[in-house]
Amino acid sequence: MIAPARKDFVAVPVAVDERGAYTNGKRRKQSYWRKWKQLSSLQRSLILFVLVLLLISGIIAYPGGPLTHWRAKSDTVERGNDDGLQAHIEMKSGGKAVLPEPPSERKGSRKRGPPALQNRSQNKRNGSEPHGEEMKKVVDRDGNKSRTSWHGSVIKKNEVTNAKKKETQPESEDSSVVESRLEAVREAFRHAWKGYKEFAWGHDELKPISKSYTEWFGLGLTLIDALDTMWILGLKKEFEEARQWVATHLSFGKSIEVNLFESTIRIMGGLLSTYHLTGDSLFLEKAKDIGSRLMPAFSTPSKIPYSDVNIGTGVAHPPHWTSDSTVAEVTTIQLEFRELSRLTGDPKYQDAVMQVMKQVHKLEGKHDGLVPMFINTNSGQFTHLGVYTLGARADSYYEYLLKQWIQGGKTETELLEDYMQAVEGIKKNLLKKSSPLGLTFVGELSHGRFSPKMDHLVCFLPGTLALGVHNGLPVEHMELAQQLMETCYQMYAQMETGLSPEIVHFNMQAGSVQDVDVKPADRHNLLRPETVESLFYLYRFTKDKKYQTWGWEIFQNFNKYTRVDTGGYTSINNVRDPKSPSPRDKMESFFLGETLKYFYLLFSDNLDLISLDTYLFNTEAHPLPIWPKAQ
């Protein structure tokens, strides 16, 4: 735009001959040049300035000119950078709070993320510079070379890059984005597997920062937990390496103590799932072996199993500090033992775990279908009455009520009754709204007093509710599932790293500026899968793309704050400090067994990939078949 005219002006003299007439031709040109030279420097500068402004204005006004293209490119870059920003609560004019919008899809865009976490002894790198795994060439399953764009998000050479072509080919664009995300998950798995293979092969869990390992049971826990994930992701080379280890090194005939619940859902569940997916009898034989060795845990006066058992000696016992077991642990082993009975034809496994369910079904001490957290192995009675939660020590009891009913052909009415009563108890006693956004959350009840505390573990509930609706339960459960899914997403979005803490407390006071409050001791993130799990179910049943978008945002933040350069991912101590999240130096086995698997299934549009009409997932994300008819 040209500035307004000024009052002062510049007079340019025009050459005339001795009679006062205008000259023309060569003499006139020479006269103009002479007069120009006679102008002062200031006058000449002003004239040139005006001419330059006119030229620039013409360029700006010309449609389709180079400046127009520059603006478009600048806007694209700016929008792309917005994708990486942490979502926060925004305040509209008038002070009304609104939910942060999920990041819009930037299909085909490429970004560089900050560097992955490194050993603190290493020098820090500039977050804007590509490095290591981010920029290496990878080869997909078809043998085509690809180039990683953002911590594993792969842009293939044959992807459409012309914007006009993309506008006219939305289906191919969507397909490209889907494959890019799926390959990003495969790359993340390969990166985690690289660290495990190099520094913790055959051991339970990787310590990626110190490049070492930890043992829990000494049974290759991460490897077994990841078997079916590798098969589902199509990582055949890695799978064959793991199978070879199982065939030659996995032995349960040694004197080691294991936790009944953890070894059932991770080891036996992983082996049974892999058997069903591959048809390889090796895994069924190993599952039979571990299953039989866990049976001494049920040798209690009440038939409520002990928490621990030595699989070599056959000696079982409760924890050293109590004779109680947690309710979640004793009621979240049924899917696996029932399936083992179906495959072997030996009813003892199913009889043992169903005796537990029958006992819990008839017990007093429930509150509108909600169960206490502990049960005594001697008396078979609930203990610590009056405390009710859907978090640790009780969570998966509710999950397995529904899933056992589905597994057995929907004939075991007591299981369905207990589940339906529990959902009503949750709605009546534990559901509240936060302030200022009115997020629906599940709190806890302690001796009649409500606490707005919610574990990240509770985020299994939206997916479970949605699964129930898919199997014919009331549609109102889906409405609640969608509300709780929004809340679980906000537990990520309202954190500075975009990753959820282990526990949050919701604000309920009027005038609160943020819904979520996190105590210092609860700010850690363990790479847990529950929110991604529920996103998977909600997307499968609603086809709403926002659930994939939320999942992609979470996946990128895992890459941004928990990925370790040398291989692996680590839990972190502080989700509220993006500059120093403080790695814990531990990669839980469920990151490969559950979290990455659910990411892959969430981003896939193939409904036949582990069909939810054919399989159901145990609480460690190991798919087991739905029985074809009542057993």
Side-chain angles (χ1 to χ4, degrees):
M1 179 177 179
I2 300 176
R6 297 167 56 95
K7 290 182 179 180
D8 52 340
F9 60 90
V10 177
V12 181
V14 179
V16 296
D17 60 15
E18 61 273 14
R19 293 174 296 180
Y22 291 106
T23 61
N24 55 21
K26 182 177 181 181
R27 181 175 179 182
R28 182 173 59 192
K29 293 178 182 178
Q30 292 173 347
S31 177
Y32 285 158
W33 176 250
R34 186 169 57 251
K35 294 301 182 181
W36 171 260
K37 296 293 290 183
Q38 290 174 354
L39 293 175
S40 68
S41 297
L42 177 60
Q43 290 173 324
R44 290 199 297 266
S45 298
L46 287 173
I47 293 171
L48 291 173
F49 178 72
V50 171
L51 291 174
V52 170
L53 282 180
L54 289 170
L55 179 62
I56 293 175
S57 299
I59 294 173
I60 293 175
Y62 180 70
L67 190 59
T68 304
H69 291 293
W70 178 86
R71 280 178 169 173
K73 182 177 180 180
S74 177
D75 290 344
T76 301
V77 173
E78 183 176 350
R79 289 194 300 267
N81 289 338
D82 287 344
D83 285 352
L85 296 177
Q86 168 61 42
H88 290 289
I89 297 299
E90 297 177 358
M91 302 298 291
K92 287 186 176 179
S93 58
K96 184 179 178 181
V98 296
L99 290 174
E101 290 293 330
S104 59
E105 300 283 358
R106 305 295 173 209
K107 296 172 182 175
S109 64
R110 300 177 60 215
K111 296 185 292 184
R112 280 200 301 251
L117 290 170
Q118 304 174 49
N119 193 320
R120 291 187 176 183
S121 63
Q122 298 175 353
N123 294 328
K124 293 184 178 179
R125 295 176 178 175
N126 188 317
S128 64
E129 294 296 324
H131 61 92
E133 287 290 314
E134 291 176 76
M135 299 303 293
K136 75 174 183 180
K137 297 284 185 179
V138 298
V139 179
D140 63 18
R141 287 184 294 173
D142 298 323
N144 298 319
K145 287 189 176 180
S146 307
R147 182 172 55 199
T148 52
S149 63
W150 194 97
H151 279 298
S153 177
V154 173
I155 305 299
K156 297 235 179 129
K157 284 186 175 181
N158 60 355
E159 282 185 4
V160 179
T161 56
N162 185 285
K164 292 184 179 179
K165 288 183 180 179
K166 286 188 175 184
E167 291 175 1
T168 60
Q169 297 177 347
E171 292 185 2
S172 64
E173 179 187 0
D174 287 344
S175 175
S176 175
V177 170
V178 168
E179 181 54 36
S180 174
R181 289 178 174 179
L182 293 178
E183 181 58 31
V185 179
R186 293 188 202 105
E187 192 280 334
F189 187 98
R190 292 189 194 101
H191 183 76
W193 190 252
K194 172 180 176 289
Y196 177 75
K197 183 178 178 181
E198 186 171 353
F199 306 121
W201 184 251
H203 299 286
D204 283 342
E205 293 171 325
L206 169 67
K207 297 179 69 175
I209 302 296
S210 57
K211 302 178 184 178
S212 59
Y213 58 85
T214 59
E215 294 287 33
W216 190 1
F217 306 142
L219 295 174
L221 198 56
T222 292
L223 187 149
I224 298 174
D225 227 356
L227 283 168
D228 55 6
T229 304
M230 288 182 275
W231 186 265
I232 292 169
L233 270 59
L235 302 175
K236 301 299 176 63
K237 175 184 175 183
E238 291 82 358
F239 178 83
E240 289 301 327
E241 293 172 342
R243 185 202 180 280
Q244 183 65 22
W245 184 88
V246 171
T248 58
H249 289 83
L250 180 60
S251 172
F252 301 121
K254 46 189 175 182
S255 181
I256 53 173
E257 289 196 349
V258 301
N259 177 272
L260 171 66
F261 164 71
E262 297 289 357
S263 56
T264 297
I265 65 171
R266 302 193 197 206
I267 299 176
M268 188 161 75
L271 292 169
L272 288 173
S273 170
T274 307
Y275 164 69
H276 281 294
L277 293 176
T278 65
D280 190 335
S281 61
L282 167 69
F283 302 107
L284 178 57
E285 293 305 314
K286 294 293 184 180
K288 291 179 186 177
D289 191 4
I290 184 68
S292 63
R293 292 174 183 276
L294 293 173
M295 287 302 290
F298 296 91
S299 299
T300 69
S302 66
K303 305 303 180 183
I304 300 297
Y306 290 128
S307 62
D308 300 292
V309 58
N310 188 306
I311 59 174
T313 65
V315 175
H317 60 84
H320 299 299
W321 57 90
T322 180
S323 59
D324 291 345
S325 291
T326 69
V327 171
E329 289 184 344
V330 302
T331 58
T332 315
I333 53 179
Q334 279 67 24
L335 294 181
E336 299 81 0
F337 277 95
R338 283 159 52 113
E339 178 61 13
L340 190 59
S341 275
R342 189 178 77 95
L343 291 172
T344 62
D346 190 338
K348 68 180 180 182
Y349 305 109
Q350 180 170 346
D351 290 345
V353 295
M354 294 315 293
Q355 178 65 35
V356 176
M357 297 309 299
K358 292 176 182 178
Q359 173 73 2
V360 172
H361 173 73
K362 65 183 182 182
L363 281 180
E364 296 182 358
K366 297 178 186 175
H367 182 68
D368 295 327
L370 305 176
V371 295
M373 293 187 292
F374 297 97
I375 187 169
N376 190 271
T377 54
N378 293 319
S379 67
Q381 301 295 312
F382 289 132
T383 62
H384 300 78
L385 301 180
V387 180
Y388 305 98
T389 176
L390 261 74
R393 301 186 179 91
D395 52 348
S396 47
Y397 159 74
Y398 305 99
E399 174 190 358
Y400 266 39
L401 286 175
L402 176 68
K403 290 183 176 180
Q404 288 174 81
W405 175 69
I406 296 172
Q407 180 191 47
K410 305 178 184 178
T411 61
E412 298 157 292
T413 57
E414 286 186 351
L415 296 168
L416 179 60
E417 290 170 2
D418 287 349
Y419 175 77
M420 292 296 293
Q421 187 179 9
V423 173
E424 293 305 309
I426 292 167
K427 292 161 65 176
K428 178 181 177 181
N429 299 283
L430 303 182
L431 280 188
K432 299 290 182 182
K433 297 281 188 180
S434 69
S435 178
L437 299 180
L439 300 175
T440 300
F441 70 94
V442 179
E444 297 183 350
L445 198 64
S446 179
H447 306 289
R449 183 175 180 179
F450 180 81
S451 168
K453 170 181 174 287
M454 179 169 162
D455 292 4
H456 182 274
L457 290 168
V458 181
C459 287
F460 83 92
L461 185 57
T464 298
L465 290 169
L467 180 63
V469 175
H470 181 69
N471 283 275
L473 300 189
V475 294
E476 292 81 4
H477 290 191
M478 181 62 80
E479 296 174 8
L480 177 57
Q482 292 173 317
Q483 293 172 5
L484 291 172
M485 191 74 263
E486 174 75 37
T487 301
C488 290
Y489 167 69
Q490 290 296 325
M491 288 167 62
Y492 285 77
Q494 294 192 22
M495 296 299 104
E496 287 77 359
T497 60
L499 294 175
S500 174
E502 180 75 357
I503 300 171
V504 301
H505 288 74
F506 285 91
N507 291 316
M508 299 175 60
Q509 300 297 323
S512 299
V513 297
Q514 190 174 22
D515 298 78
V516 176
D517 183 41
V518 187
K519 300 183 183 303
D522 301 332
R523 293 180 177 179
H524 50 286
N525 181 289
L526 303 181
L527 311 173
R528 285 199 187 277
E530 286 77 21
T531 292
V532 188
E533 171 187 0
S534 286
L535 286 170
F536 158 65
Y537 282 109
L538 267 291
Y539 178 69
R540 273 284 179 99
F541 298 139
T542 70
K543 306 301 186 295
D544 191 334
K545 291 285 187 179
K546 75 178 181 182
Y547 298 120
Q548 288 184 320
T549 302
W550 291 355
W552 182 242
E553 178 187 349
I554 293 169
F555 177 79
Q556 291 182 94
N557 287 327
F558 274 125
N559 265 326
K560 187 174 182 180
Y561 295 107
T562 72
R563 179 168 170 140
V564 181
D565 266 357
T566 53
Y569 289 75
T570 179
S571 50
I572 58 175
N573 277 314
N574 193 351
V575 298
R576 308 224 67 168
D577 189 351
K579 293 183 178 179
S580 182
S582 183
R584 283 190 159 198
D585 194 20
K586 186 176 183 182
M587 185 176 76
E588 302 278 355
S589 79
F590 54 67
F591 182 68
L592 299 186
E594 298 186 75
T595 309
L596 290 182
K597 183 186 298 167
Y598 280 129
F599 271 128
Y600 190 84
L601 294 170
L602 167 63
F603 298 145
S604 173
D605 286 332
N606 180 8
L607 301 184
D608 292 327
L609 182 61
I610 314 299
S611 168
L612 295 177
D613 294 319
T614 305
Y615 291 94
L616 50 80
F617 290 90
N618 84 338
T619 198
E620 190 74 8
H622 297 305
L624 299 173
I626 298 172
W627 297 347
K629 54 186 177 180
Q631 301 293 309

